[in-house]
């Protein structure tokens, strides 16, 4: 009887071990994204292209911090001068946003504005939870009608700030 109990215990422990490895493997699956191709996040504002002044960066950071505290929605703003070995800016933006994990995991409420003055590209990436309110069409409208007109005047800070204000207004 004691031998049977030990054998059952061993089988249960083996099953638990196998299940644990399966769960851990599921959580740590390789996303296929080479982390070395992306910069490390600095904060809400990641001005790697050095487009913004220190004061503008501080104001945007404060604006985004207060917004997150009031809504739990997370927004990152990223400027880049290169997309490494990627040939597609949109895919780079999506991969960067996914790698950084912008937004609360359970709510999937992140939004990333990624743009490059030197590459003349911009993309807004949304989490699945965010996408319910801020569709690709809405994000494209904000880019085309609000952000790009300011960028064309050389007003990158104003373009981002006005674009953010419109996105936040629609993200209620």
């Amino acid at each position: 009887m004691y031998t049977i109990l030990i054998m059952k215990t061993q089988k249960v422990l083996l099953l638990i071990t196998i299940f644990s490895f399966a769960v851990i493997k599921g959580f740590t699956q390789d996303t296929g994204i080479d982390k070395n191709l992306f910069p490390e996040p600095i904060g809400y504002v990641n001005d790697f292209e050095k487009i913004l002044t220190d004061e503008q960066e501080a104001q945007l950071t404060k604006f985004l911090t207060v917004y997150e505290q009031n809504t739990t929605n997370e927004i990152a703003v990223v400027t880049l001068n290169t997309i490494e070995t990627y040939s597609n800016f949109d895919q780079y933006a999506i991969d960067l946003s996914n790698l950084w994990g912008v937004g609360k995991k359970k709510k999937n409420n992140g939004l990333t504005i990624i743009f490059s003055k030197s590459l003349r590209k911009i993309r807004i990436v949304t989490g699945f939870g965010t996408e319910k309110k801020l569709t690709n069409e809405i994000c494209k409208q904000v880019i085309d009608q609000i952000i790009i007109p300011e960028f064309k005047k050389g007003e990158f800070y104003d373009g981002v700030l006005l674009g953010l204000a419109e996105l936040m207004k629609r993200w209620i």
Side-chain angles (χ1 to χ4, degrees):
M1 176 115 157
Y2 182 70
T3 306
I4 293 173
L5 183 61
I6 290 175
M7 288 174 53
K8 284 184 178 180
T9 303
Q10 287 175 337
K11 284 182 181 178
V12 168
L13 288 174
L14 179 63
L15 287 173
I16 290 171
T17 303
I18 290 170
F19 179 73
S20 297
F21 281 121
V23 169
I24 290 169
K25 178 73 173 153
F27 284 119
T28 60
Q29 278 187 344
D30 184 17
T31 60
I33 300 172
D34 184 353
K35 295 176 184 177
N36 296 322
L37 297 177
F38 301 94
E40 288 292 320
I42 300 166
Y44 292 106
V45 181
N46 301 268
D47 186 17
F48 299 113
E49 200 171 11
K50 302 296 181 208
I51 295 171
L52 306 170
T53 67
D54 290 343
E55 183 180 326
Q56 291 171 334
E57 193 171 329
Q59 289 172 346
L60 274 178
T61 298
K62 184 176 181 181
F63 185 55
L64 297 175
T65 302
V66 169
Y67 182 72
E68 182 191 359
Q69 290 170 346
N70 291 332
T71 65
T72 75
N73 297 334
E74 289 183 13
I75 300 174
V77 176
V78 184
T79 69
L80 308 159
N81 57 6
T82 181
I83 56 171
E84 297 293 332
T85 60
Y86 276 71
S87 59
N88 184 310
F89 186 86
D90 289 347
Q91 190 59 55
Y92 183 91
I94 291 166
D95 288 351
L96 175 71
S97 188
N98 287 334
L99 182 67
W100 284 9
V102 178
K104 306 285 187 264
K105 190 168 185 122
K106 289 186 178 185
K107 291 185 174 186
N108 231 331
N109 62 342
L111 180 140
T112 310
I113 298 177
I114 302 172
F115 69 96
S116 173
K117 177 181 173 183
S118 60
L119 299 175
R120 300 175 56 94
K121 298 281 186 185
I122 183 170
R123 172 69 191 250
I124 297 174
V125 180
T126 58
F128 290 120
T130 304
E131 198 173 283
K132 293 174 186 173
K133 298 225 175 174
L134 297 177
T135 63
N136 288 337
E137 292 78 22
I138 290 172
C139 291
K140 184 170 176 7
Q141 276 181 340
V142 170
I143 289 171
D144 292 344
Q145 296 172 8
I146 298 171
I147 298 175
I148 288 180
E150 293 299 318
F151 281 15
K152 285 182 177 179
K153 296 187 284 188
E155 301 295 338
F156 294 95
Y157 173 75
D158 291 344
V160 170
L161 190 61
L162 292 170
L164 284 169
E166 182 63 24
L167 290 166
M168 290 172 177
K169 185 173 79 176
R170 295 179 180 215
W171 197 359
I172 298 172

